[in-house]
């Protein structure tokens, strides 16, 4: 079955960074939609074609291993893989003197097989395998996607932040062009390996309001492509540090706000923290423990360009120490008749 020319990700309608689970779900959904048994007439043939294409895409992308190869080499990953294997075998077998001739040479693969192999790859890769002996020579290789993590505080999420990323990668040696040889001797720059470690610095802007676990994609900043292949993408996995004061719930923030009993009873004007400067907050008279105060627009940025809210949850606390005079006031308070605060608790416990 010849491979479809459509990109498998497009066939499944998922982004290139979709999880295996997303791929499985997309496949199941589309398989139900395209299944030829569900269609009749002129539509049936069309759906059969789509169904076939979908199954091809799923066979490759549904397996992490083959998916990786597809990401790297595209539709011809199978040929590319045999090419890589043959190249490695050939590399072990070949002497330095005939390297420059590449796969079309008369000795490379040991006798008569060489020519066949050369033809094979000419057919597939348009004859580009004849030049040079670079490990990557002969076909277009897309650069690998690279993922790295960025740790952010909530305050950085609030404003958006720029991160400097350092990436170390193996790239073809510029001196020998990846062949490992200069004038038939091992390349002095790379010692004959054909590759070099290159460190790149990339500044990545992380937008305000980003969620924990988001992947920020930086197009074309991943591994370099070969022979005109496109570079891979860089993905920045955002990890947000837990904040000691604020808890994030979507675009809203939650924080505990301790108040004294008399502040809850009489109401009070108190200083409360936000992600930026503290603000004055009115605790209304008659507030209860667990009650919420809402500060509109003091939460996190939303995708729509607004801000979520900040909620304070009231905690009624006692002073660390009290004076004799205060104790007397409590004593006086205790003399007033009040309903038993545990009445509900006892009733409920006895019922069950
Ligand atoms: Zn070199």
């Amino acid at each position: 079955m010849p491979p479809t020319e459509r990109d498998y990700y497009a066939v499944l309608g998922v982004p290139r960074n979709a999880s295996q689970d997303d791929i499985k779900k997309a496949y199941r959904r589309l398989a139900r939609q395209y299944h030829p048994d569900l269609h009749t007439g002129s539509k049936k043939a069309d759906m059969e074609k789509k169904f076939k294409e979908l199954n091809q895409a799923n066979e490759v992308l549904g397996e992490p291993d083959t998916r990786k190869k597809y990401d790297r080499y595209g539709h011809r990953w199978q040929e590319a893989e045999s090419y890589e294997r043959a190249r490695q075998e050939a590399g072990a077998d070949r002497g330095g003197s005939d390297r420059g001739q590449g796969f079309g040479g008369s000795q490379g693969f040991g006798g008569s097989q060489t020519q066949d192999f050369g033809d094979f790859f000419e057919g597939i890769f348009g004859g580009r395998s004849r030049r040079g002996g670079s490990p990557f020579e002969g076909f277009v290789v897309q650069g690998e996607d690279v993922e790295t993590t960025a740790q952010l505080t909530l305050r950085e999420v609030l404003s958006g932040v720029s991160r400097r990323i350092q990436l170390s990668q193996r790239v073809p040696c510029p001196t020998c062009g990846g062949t490992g040889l200069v004038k038939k001797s091992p390349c002095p720059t790379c010692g004959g390996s054909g590759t070099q470690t290159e460190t790149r610095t990339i500044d990545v802007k992380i937008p305000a309001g980003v969620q924990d676990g988001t992947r920020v994609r930086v197009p074309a900043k991943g591994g370099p492509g070969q022979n005109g292949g496109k570079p891979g993408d860089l993905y920045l996995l955002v990890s947000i540090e837990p904040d000691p004061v604020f808890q994030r719930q979507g675009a809203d923030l939650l924080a505990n706000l301790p108040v004294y009993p008399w502040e809850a009873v009489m109401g009070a004007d108190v200083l409360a923290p936000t992600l930026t400067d503290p603000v004055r907050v009115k605790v209304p008279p008659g507030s209860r423990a667990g009650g919420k105060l809402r500060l509109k627009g003091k939460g996190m940025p939303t995708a729509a360009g607004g801000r979520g809210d900040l909620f304070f949850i009231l905690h009624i606390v006692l002073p660390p120490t009290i004076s004799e005079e205060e104790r007397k006031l409590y004593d006086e308070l205790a003399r007033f008749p009040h309903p038993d605060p545990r009445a509900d608790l006892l009733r409920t416990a006895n019922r069950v």
Side-chain angles (χ1 to χ4, degrees), residues 258-315:
V259 292
Y260 282 134
W262 52 91
E263 289 178 325
V265 171
M266 316 289 287
D269 190 29
V270 303
L271 198 61
T274 72
L275 270 182
T276 51
D277 293 324
V279 291
R280 298 218 72 92
V281 173
K282 269 197 190 331
V283 179
S287 289
R288 290 173 185 276
K292 279 185 189 170
L293 300 182
R294 178 183 181 210
L295 270 191
K296 243 187 118 151
K298 293 286 183 192
M300 303 303 283
T302 63
R307 289 274 297 270
D309 301 331
L310 169 57
F311 290 93
F312 290 113
I313 299 156
L314 297 179
H315 277 238

Side-chain angles (χ1 to χ4, degrees), residues 133-137 172-182 187 190 194 226:
S134 156
F136 303 111
E137 190 73 43
C173 167
T175 307
C176 59
T179 60
L181 290 174
V182 174
C187 167
C190 62
Q226 309 296 339

